[in-house]
Amino acid sequence: MSSGDDACETCLERQPWTSRDDNSVSHPPWRVRVSRSCNWGDSKQPRRSARKFRAIEGAIERSRRLLDLTKGWDDESAEPIKESTWRRATSFLRRTVQAVFRRSSVVLPTPHISPCADGSIDLLWKTSHFRLLVNIQPEGEGDSDFFGETPNGLSVKGTFRPEEREFGFIDWLAT
Amino acid sequence: MTEPEDDWPQEVIPNSDILFMRVHRNFVEDGELQPNAFRDQGAGMSTNWQKYCVTAEEARRRATKNPQNNGVVRLGVGPIRNIPLTVEHTPDWALEDRSHADVIGQKTAEVRMRLLDIAEWAIKLDDDNV
């Protein structure tokens, strides 16, 4: 598999390389080059495992379109999505995917990443095994919340702060 | 002189009735309704009571901007109340909309998933050339 000369081999995002001498990182025996700004860098797993998350990383990249939405994007009064909210949501998504993988070796499917009229962001997983909706609010504007359930009636819900909550526990939903 | 409030008294909406709700295209992905479609605007989630807005097309035409950018879903009043949420007839005299009804109650992730479960397309965006 080729990740391209200018792409991080962990997250496969194209981003400027820092020089080998002072910033680039090598991980024998994988010898994977990882950009210092790589968002997957805090994984406890071998960095190569992040390749399993390419689909999710692609969805995150595509979700940048949310930042182009202007006030009234629903032809009514919808708020734009702040970059800080997008970063909050995508950071939460990455940490959740990693946490579930650490706990159960399950790679979560790719969620829908959708804008909400109040400036928050929804992450929605819908599969035949489970569904989970996580709403990420802009920083300082109310609680983020979530609701998940399985077809056999197990469910989980609550409010949380995306920076503080470890969502690895949802592995039972996905397995 | 007769006040509009006298002409359009607030009525109790029966559980067996239907509400229409416009859904902007930005709340639809791959033709699929998303839970972000269910949100409050003011006192509650704005809908149109079928008693005074007989067709889904009429509900779509009531969009203040770009009706063609909207699909329409239908929601049963009884199932909404079972979520549980409150359904109130709230005629909008300013917009001359006797059919206006609010769905009141916090739109948590769980509530929005329940609303997604009971919503049915009346006019699907995919059906149009939008």
Side-chain angles (χ1 to χ4, degrees), chain A residues 105-116:
Chain A
S105 297
V106 167
V107 178
L108 281 178
T110 304
H112 287 279
I113 304 173
S114 308
C116 295

Side-chain angles (χ1 to χ4, degrees), chain A residues 26-93:
Chain A
S26 183
H27 293 275
W30 309 297
R31 300 197 60 78
V32 174
R33 291 193 309 166
V34 180
S35 165
R36 193 164 68 165
S37 61
C38 174
N39 291 306
W40 296 97
D42 61 349
S43 173
K44 299 284 191 299
Q45 292 291 323
R47 289 173 184 270
R48 183 164 283 188
S49 68
R51 293 184 180 190
K52 300 179 190 304
F53 309 138
R54 264 199 301 176
I56 287 177
E57 198 58 45
I60 288 174
E61 192 56 39
R62 288 191 298 279
S63 74
R64 283 183 187 275
R65 67 180 170 81
L66 271 52
L67 302 175
D68 297 331
L69 297 170
T70 55
K71 173 92 176 164
W73 51 264
D74 62 347
D75 286 336
E76 296 194 43
S77 56
E79 295 294 331
I81 305 298
K82 294 178 187 167
E83 180 156 359
S84 58
T85 308
W86 179 80
R87 291 195 179 284
R88 197 178 199 208
T90 54
S91 169
F92 168 81
L93 174 56

Side-chain angles (χ1 to χ4, degrees), chain B residues 8-118:
Chain B
W8 294 352
Q10 188 178 42
E11 301 173 48
V12 174
I13 303 180
N15 281 343
S16 56
D17 279 15
I18 294 293
L19 304 179
F20 292 122
M21 187 182 84
R22 287 185 299 281
V23 176
H24 190 269
R25 62 190 307 173
N26 281 339
F27 298 122
V28 178
E29 288 180 32
D30 302 326
E32 215 177 317
L33 181 65
Q34 298 296 306
N36 53 354
F38 304 104
R39 86 278 196 212
D40 288 344
Q41 295 165 289
M45 188 174 79
S46 285
T47 64
N48 298 106
W49 183 11
Q50 191 178 30
K51 179 176 180 180
Y52 297 112
C53 177
V54 178
T55 66
E57 185 54 45
E58 191 181 336
R60 174 152 81 166
R61 281 199 304 267
R62 290 177 189 272
T64 50
K65 276 165 78 175
N66 306 323
Q68 74 279 7
N69 280 346
N70 292 268
V72 177
V73 294
R74 72 169 68 83
L75 298 153
V77 173
I80 293 173
R81 288 182 172 139
N82 285 339
I83 285 178
L85 293 168
T86 301
V87 177
E88 274 188 12
H89 181 215
T90 49
D92 188 331
W93 295 285
L95 292 177
E96 299 183 345
D97 184 359
R98 188 174 187 177
S99 72
H100 191 266
D102 278 313
V103 177
I104 300 166
Q106 208 180 354
K107 305 302 179 295
T108 62
E110 179 180 16
V111 165
R112 292 188 292 129
M113 290 300 273
R114 299 295 177 224
L115 286 166
L116 191 64
D117 289 340
I118 63 172

